[in-house]
Amino acid sequence: MENGHYYSFFYRDRVMPDNSTKSVKERFDHGKVGDISERSALRAHGDLRQKINRERGSVPVAPRGETFEDAAKAYIQAIAPHLSISTVRQRESHLRCHLLPRFGKSALMALDVSALQRFATDMLSGTSRKTIINVVGTLFAILDYAQKCGVRTPDVTFSKLTIAADKGDYEPPYFKPEDAKKIVANAKEPYKTIFALAWATGLRSGELLGLKVTDVDFDNCLIQPRKQSDDRTRVLRDLKTKKSKSLVAITPETSAMLTEYLRRHWRENSSGLLFPNRIGRPHKRASVVLYGLKPLLKKIGLPTKDVGLHAFRHGLGTALSNNKVSPKVVQQILRHTDIKTTFRYYVHSDTDSQRSALAALAISTNVPISTAARG
């Protein structure tokens, strides 16, 4: 404090007229005593110190309890119990694989726009835009909680970052209706009914393998998903979202198929699972794909790379859209909270549907195909 004002004094590197660099002492006025509190002045002083340290290439030293690792630990302890298991696992994965290796020992104040932009840019190699957004979202959730706890955090928001759109060179695998028919026709139980129901309902794999017999209303042709199978522990846990609990309509044919499956192939089990394994537990999704789905795909000549049960869900969404089903109905069948998710990730345009669409609008030229080919 000097002359009724709060000041900071720092040395900053300055380029001189002869292009040499010289360390110059500078003074920064934070405000008049009375107009600004001493605590606010100290905070401004700390922010300025961090900024100048970064300019000089210095690594700012984090005050005790203010590293990103400290904030992440506090967040997991306090907030994780209120989140779904799938969300917690996702965020723990983000921390373990991306965030802690990069920012674990960093001061929270060092996580400014520049640092986060470099991080997002470095992730571009081999990482989808959606993954980058999710990882950065986890980081912001931790910073937000730290700020609520009174810890100093940088003034940075998602809108200040630039994240490139996907290049479009990867599309999630999906089955066409004719693919699904071949798969079901060649499958053995219980895979035959699992695959048929996956196509008929678009249920997520965890929901499908976590179904109980009592979840099926045969009289009204409805399925009420209540739990999903955890692929790691095989324990039934809560569904992904509130929208996931929506009733799933099935056709009379699907109801008859399930009735026949229960009569001829179902194994009674203490949990009442619709698709129990040999010891009465939910099937492991990875095992269903490895032993039930991929051998069939190889047999009928379909690609196997990155293909899982979710390909039925993607295929159903695409088939519904290609059959001019209302976008709102497609969203309801897939039980997405946001219709943008339905059409960004679950509706694919194949060349057959493109060709049919063009043929429907074609203008006749009265030129024989053989003649046109020679031209």
Side-chain angles (χ1 to χ4, degrees), residues 264-303:
R264 298 184 59 189
H265 305 286
W266 181 66
R267 295 177 178 177
E268 188 171 350
N269 60 97
S270 59
S271 299
L273 291 167
L274 183 60
F275 301 115
N277 66 7
R278 294 178 181 177
I279 58 174
R281 299 176 68 193
H283 277 280
K284 190 175 179 64
R285 178 183 61 217
S287 297
V288 173
V289 172
L290 180 61
Y291 301 114
L293 181 59
K294 290 199 172 182
L296 279 177
L297 298 180
K298 291 179 181 178
K299 178 180 178 180
I300 60 183
L302 290 175

Side-chain angles (χ1 to χ4, degrees), residues 171-174 314-315 317-319 321-322 342-350 353:
E171 185 176 52
Y174 69 98
H314 280 267
T318 300
S321 179
N322 288 344
T342 306
F343 286 92
R344 183 178 300 166
Y345 302 112
Y346 288 84
V347 172
H348 310 267
S349 179
D350 59 65
S353 63

